[in-house]
Amino acid sequence: MTGGADPQSGGSPALLNSLFGHFDRQPGSGLLTLDGEGRVVWASGNGLGLLGLQPGGAQGRTLESLLHGDDRLGLPYDFMQQVQAGHTTRLEARMARHGAPLWCEITVLPVQGDAAAAALVLLQDISPRRAAEQQARSLEARRQALLDIAFDAIITIDRHGRVVVWNRAAVTIFGYSVKEAVGRPLSELIVPPGSRAAHLRGMTRHQQTGETRVAGRRIELGAQRKDGSLVEVEMTMSPVWIEEQLYYTAFIHDLTDHRRAQSQLREQSEQLSLVHDQMPTLSWTTDRDLRVTMLRGGAMAALNLDPAALVGRSIPEVLNGAPQARESLDAHRAALEGQRARYLHRFQEQVFEIHVSPMHDDVGAVSGTVALATDVTEQHREQISERYRARVLRSIAIGEPLPATLNLIAELLTQQTSRTTAQLLTVSDGHLRAVPGQALPPELEAVFSRPVAPQELHPAWVRALDTRDLTVSGLGGDGSWTPFRLAAVQLGVRSLWLLPVMSRVGDVIGLIALYRAAPGEPSVRLIDLIQHSAQLMMVAVEQDQYLQTILTTREETLRTLGVALEFRDYETKGHTDRVVTLSLQLADRLGLSATQKDELRHGAYLHDLGKIAIPDQILLKPGKPNAAEWEIIRQHPVVGYEMLRHTPAIGPASLEVVLHHHEHWNGGGYPRGLAGTDIPLLARVFAVVDTFDALTSARPYKRAWPEEDALAELARMAGRVLDPHMVEVFTAMRGGAAPGTDVGGRTDDRADTGDGADTGDGADAGEESGPEPQ
């Protein structure tokens, strides 16, 4: 033997030598001998190897000191007493081997009659077995943990149907403890009596033929609890072979909570649907091809929508021809791209705000769209109403023409009442007058092309003006078929809403007429809107009347200033009115605007206001003025301009007429010597008219010219004194000769009418170049 002391040296018998040799050759085993005090006398080579000691390293040490520290403390207190008492003892413990503890089975055998050795210790390495046992225990612990934490019941039965595994969830669901369940037939525990025979037949069939109708499938069935009650469960069962033994493992899920949740969800869904169906909303869903998959909401009945006719159709089909079809399609396509969209859509007489969102499937992919339409008709109408009210009030405030203001009110009424045509009329002398510019059908425009009495239309018009209140009427009843009644019927008018507009003093000044394509009474909201529109119309009409009064007063004031000069120089009586009339006629031929005509008229009234500053001895002199007197006369445009330029009612163009109406086309006029188109337009227009009236009017120093001679003289002055284009248009207007025609035999008269002005042709101040306009 190697690795230890010679057993013969210790006085060991021959039998021990044989045993020592045998164990020393066994792998994973070793021998020790102990003396009477339990100390090692000898250790075999394998024994020293198991202990991780060098030769002689164990000698003299107690058996306890060779154990691992933890196991040394756990050594039975009577172990050594048993050894010393001569009893065979056995235990499993870890030896204090360096590096890693080594599990050994230790067997102590007493030795009789040997003074050198009181006991023999057999060491057997059992670490592989202990490791396998530890792994098995770990696997079992994990299996048990999985069984215990599982929410579903996990039940395993053997081929005879007896329970071998019953986890904690099975205890909870069925009420049987593990001790009560294991070893008993499953059919007696959870299979209802009526199903037990089928259960047993299924097991027999599988074991005989391998056929199974439930393995690998999810099935729902009723199971029985310990208290006899039934519970709905979902079961998945699979056969499994373990060490050539057939077992069946079932995973059973209690459906009680699921059924309760389904019931609650169903109730909530029904309640939600009930609420949804009662709200004025509309919702729908589509698939990725934009085909409607669901449609519901309280607005369906009001809109006469049939879900059966719409579900399955695509959005483009449903919206074919709708005004907002493109906007709706863009919103749904954006939702398919994962974006949210919002737009307004008009369904019949209602306006809806529609929110379109992507609809996702269980994995988060966009599977379609979902849309919610909320009725915002009232808010939309109120917004439109506020915008139009603001526009009407602004129109009144800035003094826009009355037709423009009243047309805005008509647009307001049309926007707020669908399938309605609105018309505003003024009332005077018992007749109705249509406001120009309103968007009426031609048939109605023809009826109101002239002032019309209410009895010529329909009895409802007479009744409205008599009662001075809102009148609602159809087109039936007695009365003749007037042109209005025929036109209204042809246009599909079913009812009339008529409201007279009263002034502040109670006179009827206008009337609001609404032609409805549908019968029925106006709602409270519409009545308020119509009455509010009547108030706006009253303000607009009275404002217009007030402005017209102001304008008329201003007009008369300006005319009075112009005519006042005629009372100073009676020979010019009627000159002001004549030049105003001719100026406006020429302005019409030239296509001037209304504003330009107003400025021209005011300038014509006041063109000679500066002559107030000319002394009577010069102004009323019967003969021709001398050069010094002409210089004083030529200052009257500047004097008139200075008198008027700080008057707010006189516009800049009117002042230009006063200042520049004696300028000459060739630059020889006064007071600034302007030429050509540098002379303001209205001054050039008025110069032609003023010259013509001067020629055709008698003066102290000349007699009146015949009109044809005056027109010929204008032609001679064209391009020198007067704008040739203005002369051409004026001559055509008066039906005279074309420009350029010379007039013979009148030079003596012209010599008596000149003002001595320098025409730019080299004439001196004393030469006559043309008539002096008055």
Side-chain angles (χ1 to χ4, degrees), residues 701-715:
Y701 49 83
K702 77 170 191 68
R703 62 180 179 271
W705 289 25
E707 181 169 332
E708 62 272 16
D709 292 346
L711 292 176
E713 180 65 13
L714 291 183

Side-chain angles (χ1 to χ4, degrees), residues 9-85:
S9 62
S12 301
L15 179 58
L16 290 177
N17 288 334
S18 176
L19 289 172
F20 291 163
H22 173 75
F23 276 95
D24 203 34
R25 290 191 296 273
Q26 298 298 318
S29 62
L31 290 175
L32 302 175
T33 58
L34 303 177
D35 59 16
E37 295 180 357
R39 296 180 181 276
V40 177
V41 177
W42 173 85
S44 68
N46 281 353
L48 292 174
L50 291 176
L51 297 175
L53 299 175
Q54 296 295 327
Q59 195 166 2
R61 296 180 60 179
T62 63
L63 180 61
E64 291 178 84
S65 67
L66 297 176
L67 300 179
H68 187 272
D70 293 341
D71 289 0
R72 189 184 309 153
L73 295 176
L75 192 69
Y77 71 93
D78 60 345
F79 177 76
M80 293 309 299
Q81 295 177 356
Q82 293 291 328
V83 171
Q84 293 174 356

Side-chain angles (χ1 to χ4, degrees), residues 128-206:
R129 176 173 65 80
R130 291 297 296 237
E133 290 174 351
Q134 180 62 32
Q135 183 178 11
R137 283 193 297 272
S138 177
L139 290 174
E140 176 61 22
R142 275 183 271 179
R143 183 186 74 88
Q144 192 61 45
L146 289 174
L147 290 174
D148 289 342
I149 66 173
F151 288 106
D152 292 341
I154 302 177
I155 301 173
T156 300
I157 59 175
D158 60 18
R159 63 188 307 273
H160 303 293
R162 293 187 295 265
V163 175
V164 295
V165 173
W166 186 271
N167 73 337
R168 185 176 299 171
V171 174
T172 301
I173 294 173
F174 298 108
Y176 294 99
S177 66
V178 175
K179 184 176 181 181
E180 291 175 313
V182 172
R184 292 181 61 183
L186 183 66
S187 59
E188 296 180 2
L189 297 175
I190 68 172
V191 180
S195 302
R196 290 174 183 174
H199 167 73
L200 296 175
R201 285 196 303 272
M203 290 184 62
T204 301
R205 181 172 56 252
H206 175 258

